[in-house]
Amino acid sequence: MKSGTWLLRLALLLLFLGLLFGFLASFAYRLSDAKSEFIGFLTLRPLHVTSAYFGVVVGGLACVTFALQKETIKPLSYNLLNIHLSLWLIALVGIFYSYFTGDFGGREYWEFKPIWALPILISYFIFLLFYLKNAGSYKKWPVYKWMWFTGLVFFAFIFIENYLWIFPYFKEHLITDMTLQWKVNGSIVGAINQMIYGLAFYLMVKISGDEKMGQSKLAFAMYFLGLFNLMFNWGHHIYILPTDRYIHHISYIVSMTEWIILLRIFYNWNQQLMENRTHYYFFPYRFLMAADYWVMINLAIALLMSIPAFNLYTHGTQITVAHAMGTTIGINTMIVLAGAFYFIKPTFDSIKALKRMTFVFWSSQIALLLFLITLTGMGIQRALWQAGISEGVFGQMMLRSRPWMIGFIITGTILFVSLACVVLYLLFYSFRQRARFRLFKSI
């Protein structure tokens, strides 16, 4: 299936570029002039964010396409897929060209001009049509198909909401404008999570061979809890805005319901440890296992950040960045990589090659943990300074953060190399699925 394969290749390429630009940005962050030449932080940051963000989104869409291909007996609507892929390519070429030429015109996390958002939006409606034509009767949908459907619908809706700022009414009302902007940045992540977590459910069902798992009451209960959070959890992003207090209170209560998910993860911990002995060398399961552990860590951080007293100090610091990157890399990227391993089905030439990939896998997990710790350390330093607890001017605060910054660069380098090895291995193997591939023998 050429369109689905090329969609997955595009996702892997975007993930690699996200890693590369993030690696370069970690060095550029130390420069006194953020605008210095091409490698300036102000240029590299949107390149990094856009590549990583869209890598996860396109990766999820590609894996959904492969899943539909496996589950349907009729030919898929390839014309729709080709149009969908073409629109993504048009948007990405335009976005990267505008970044490279310094032609910015968007908002935070979406710093490209709104004109390049149009092909992305159209591509989503086309993919939604493709999905509905090939997903079968909704009466028989397992939980992951419902998650994919609601993820697609809500992403399109929130994506439109994201660009209401181009209308004069919203530009003229600052609080409304900021509320919408921060609300979108929170809720659109929930829409993406519906699609990515649906992929995780799909992989767990297929790996275990237990189809009933996708129809269980517990699975649907967790789905509705996630959908509930998607629609109402965004309020904790706007604690510092002077909006109606009931929005903050509802948001806080919704955030706290996520403890149910955390408790469920702990409950399954011992059972998962037993399963690890059976599935450990199956890489799709291994990356799912990693994502599960990162869910637990990042959910604990998110719940603390949802408490207004903590949010007041952590907002706008590297602690927020650590949570965002932990979620994007530790959870979403790991699930996309699990899906890529499952659908590409790479083989290893020898036990030695398998051990090398195992080493790369664990290097990436340890590096990510240390990377997030250094970001959190920098965030604590900044939070203390913002609260007036730490004395001195901004430059002195940055000097105190220097050891954390050095650790940030070192661990970021290890993370870049290890994850890049995995992504490039999958990317190159997708071009040579029927050939024996010896990438790691040259390492």
Side-chain angles (χ1 to χ4, degrees):
M1 188 177 127
K2 293 183 179 179
S3 298
T5 302
W6 278 106
L7 203 60
L8 185 55
R9 288 169 181 165
L10 176 61
L12 292 170
L13 177 61
L14 287 170
L15 288 175
F16 172 73
L17 291 176
L19 291 167
L20 177 62
F21 292 135
F23 169 69
L24 296 175
S26 68
F27 286 95
Y29 185 72
R30 295 186 61 200
L31 298 176
S32 57
D33 183 6
K35 297 181 180 179
S36 60
E37 300 180 358
F38 167 73
I39 201 171
F41 183 78
L42 293 182
T43 300
L44 288 170
R45 182 181 181 273
L47 284 169
H48 162 64
V49 172
T50 299
S51 299
Y53 206 80
F54 286 159
V56 169
V57 173
V58 175
L61 294 173
C63 289
V64 170
T65 302
F66 277 107
L68 292 179
Q69 182 194 28
K70 281 181 171 289
E71 295 203 350
T72 185
I73 58 175
K74 62 180 181 179
L76 299 185
S77 307
Y78 293 113
N79 289 336
L80 290 175
L81 274 179
N82 289 332
I83 297 172
H84 170 77
L85 177 60
S86 299
L87 287 168
W88 265 106
L89 291 173
I90 292 170
L92 289 170
V93 169
I95 290 168
F96 279 96
Y97 177 79
S98 65
Y99 284 163
F100 286 137
T101 57
D103 186 19
F104 300 97
R107 293 290 183 88
E108 185 181 14
Y109 301 120
W110 311 89
E111 297 180 47
F112 49 87
K113 285 189 173 181
I115 186 64
W116 301 117
L118 188 58
I120 296 176
L121 179 63
I122 296 173
S123 76
Y124 248 81
F125 284 116
I126 290 174
F127 192 89
L128 181 60
L129 177 61
F130 161 79
Y131 182 81
L132 292 175
K133 288 186 67 174
N134 296 282
S137 174
Y138 71 91
K139 295 180 180 179
K140 299 180 180 179
W141 280 1
V143 67
Y144 51 81
K145 285 192 175 181
W146 280 108
M147 294 178 79
W148 292 336
F149 173 67
T150 50
L152 289 169
V153 170
F154 274 95
F155 185 94
F157 173 79
I158 299 167
F159 198 73
I160 293 172
E161 194 177 32
N162 185 42
Y163 286 95
L164 290 178
W165 62 268
I166 66 176
F167 298 103
Y169 171 82
F170 295 96
K171 282 185 176 181
E172 295 168 2
H173 296 79
L174 178 63
I175 301 302
T176 302
D177 188 14
M178 292 185 69
T179 301
L180 266 175
Q181 181 184 343
W182 290 356
K183 179 262 182 189
V184 164
N185 289 336
S187 56
I188 203 166
V189 172
I192 294 171
N193 287 346
Q194 283 283 296
M195 188 167 58
I196 299 301
Y197 294 171
L199 172 60
F201 263 107
Y202 171 84
L203 293 173
M204 285 189 286
V205 168
K206 299 306 176 182
I207 291 171
S208 67
D210 183 9
E211 295 290 338
K212 293 181 180 179
M213 184 187 300
Q215 299 284 0
S216 69
K217 292 181 180 179
L218 177 61
F220 276 97
M222 303 303 283
Y223 157 64
F224 283 114
L225 182 59
L227 186 61
F228 182 59
N229 274 269
L230 183 164
M231 293 187 286
F232 301 107
N233 186 30
W234 54 267
H236 76 267
H237 290 265
I238 60 168
Y239 277 147
I240 64 174
L241 292 179
T243 53
D244 293 329
R245 303 310 299 175
Y246 75 87
I247 297 177
H248 299 172
H249 298 322
I250 292 174
S251 161
Y252 179 73
I253 294 170
V254 172
S255 297
M256 292 301 103
T257 63
E258 290 183 323
W259 280 110
I260 299 173
I261 300 175
L262 185 59
L263 290 173
R264 181 61 183 174
I265 294 170
F266 275 118
Y267 179 78
N268 286 337
W269 184 277
N270 289 332
Q271 181 181 354
Q272 185 185 50
L273 291 179
M274 294 297 294
E275 291 175 352
N276 287 350
R277 300 175 186 176
T278 304
H279 301 291
Y280 177 73
Y281 287 104
F282 188 45
F283 274 94
Y285 180 83
R286 191 181 297 191
F287 278 96
L288 282 180
M289 175 191 69
D292 197 11
Y293 296 155
W294 286 112
V295 165
M296 184 170 55
I297 293 172
N298 282 280
L299 184 55
I301 296 173
L303 289 169
L304 288 175
M305 290 171 58
S306 297
I307 299 173
F310 284 101
N311 187 274
L312 180 64
Y313 295 105
T314 63
H315 190 87
T317 70
Q318 289 89 342
I319 296 174
T320 304
V321 178
H323 170 61
M325 296 191 73
T327 302
T328 303
I329 301 174
I331 303 173
N332 292 342
T333 301
M334 294 300 162
I335 294 173
V336 169
L337 290 176
F341 268 99
Y342 182 81
F343 292 115
I344 293 177
K345 300 186 185 304
T347 57
F348 299 96
D349 293 334
S350 63
I351 297 297
K352 190 175 182 180
L354 179 63
K355 288 182 178 179
R356 284 173 178 166
M357 180 59 81
T358 299
F359 174 77
V360 169
F361 169 80
W362 283 111
S363 296
S364 66
Q365 304 307 312
I366 295 171
L368 179 56
L369 178 61
L370 296 176
F371 181 74
L372 297 183
I373 290 173
T374 59
L375 269 175
T376 303
M378 293 165 64
I380 291 173
Q381 289 278 7
R382 189 182 184 99
L384 292 174
W385 177 77
Q386 288 181 170
I389 299 173
S390 176
E391 298 180 353
V393 296
F394 179 81
Q396 292 174 316
M397 181 273 294
M398 291 295 289
L399 284 175
R400 287 192 293 269
S401 299
R402 187 177 179 83
W404 294 111
M405 203 175 299
I406 294 173
F408 168 75
I409 293 173
I410 294 172
T411 55
T413 301
I414 299 172
L415 181 63
F416 163 67
V417 172
S418 55
L419 278 181
C421 284
V422 177
V423 172
L424 290 177
Y425 177 82
L426 289 167
L427 180 60
F428 290 139
Y429 198 94
S430 71
F431 286 97
R432 303 180 60 185
Q433 284 181 299
R434 296 182 180 179
R436 300 182 68 82
F437 185 58
R438 292 184 170 87
L439 173 65
F440 284 86
K441 288 197 171 184
S442 62
I443 298 178

